[in-house]
Amino acid sequence: YILCYIIEPGNAKDFAIKTEGYCSYCKTAKPFRAHHCKICKKCVLKMDHHCLWICNCIGYNNHRYFLLFLFYLILFSGIATFSTWRVAFNIEDPIIGIPPIIRYGVFGVSGGVFLVISIFGYVQYTAAVDGITELEQKELKSGKATKEKYSLGSKGNWELIFGKDIFYLSW
């Protein structure tokens, strides 16, 4: 989480290569795959979206850390859901003094959080493997672009985000 928050997503002004147009907000040339974030008030290289969870844009420099944050969030919310399931349905010794309705409620909330985060994670990971961002998915749906415009192949897209290091799941 901290790395997603503190690492700049990729300021487009730092990468003045192969421009795709002009940003009317920043009044500068806009590199290929850069988009302007109205919340951050800057152009972000390979911008995926502005994340309210981390108060930062997800872009070229911090996409890896965001996907790792999501992976570990899914993992730990799954563990929490499994733990509350064991307590809610008396798989282990029942906790004295906690009514079943509260146990079921806690299990329902943790299961719901796990489900929502898992769906969001699935969408983000499939987009990463396809080599497209959330904003580029909208362009694909409207017919303004094709997947081939952005994709380097599944392996190439994965390596672009995580690198070639075998320890890509580490921070």
Side-chain angles (χ1 to χ4, degrees), residues 141-153:
K141 288 180 184 173
S142 68
K144 293 180 183 176
T146 61
K147 262 188 189 179
E148 291 76 28
K149 180 179 178 182
Y150 306 116
S151 183
L152 301 172

Side-chain angles (χ1 to χ4, degrees), residues 80 82-104 106-107:
F82 179 72
S83 298
T84 57
W85 170 73
R86 293 175 56 96
V87 171
F89 297 102
N90 291 330
I91 304 301
E92 294 181 353
D93 293 332
I95 297 175
I96 300 170
I98 298 179
I101 190 74
I102 291 176
R103 293 191 312 233
Y104 297 143
V106 170
F107 170 70

Side-chain angles (χ1 to χ4, degrees), residues 5-47:
Y5 179 75
I6 63 173
I7 291 179
E8 279 290 315
N11 193 344
K13 290 180 182 178
D14 298 338
F15 296 91
I17 53 170
K18 194 177 178 186
T19 60
E20 187 177 60
Y22 182 77
C23 179
S24 58
Y25 298 103
C26 295
K27 308 281 190 247
T28 60
K30 188 170 80 168
F32 181 64
R33 298 184 83 174
H35 295 278
H36 185 84
C37 178
K38 293 178 183 174
I39 297 169
C40 294
K41 297 182 180 14
K42 62 183 174 184
C43 282
V44 177
L45 191 64
K46 199 179 171 202
M47 180 178 171

Side-chain angles (χ1 to χ4, degrees), residues 128-147:
V129 169
D130 289 342
I132 55 176
T133 65
E134 187 176 313
L135 296 173
E136 292 163 351
Q137 285 177 336
K138 293 175 184 174
E139 289 178 6
L140 290 173
K141 288 180 184 173
S142 68
K144 293 180 183 176
T146 61
K147 262 188 189 179

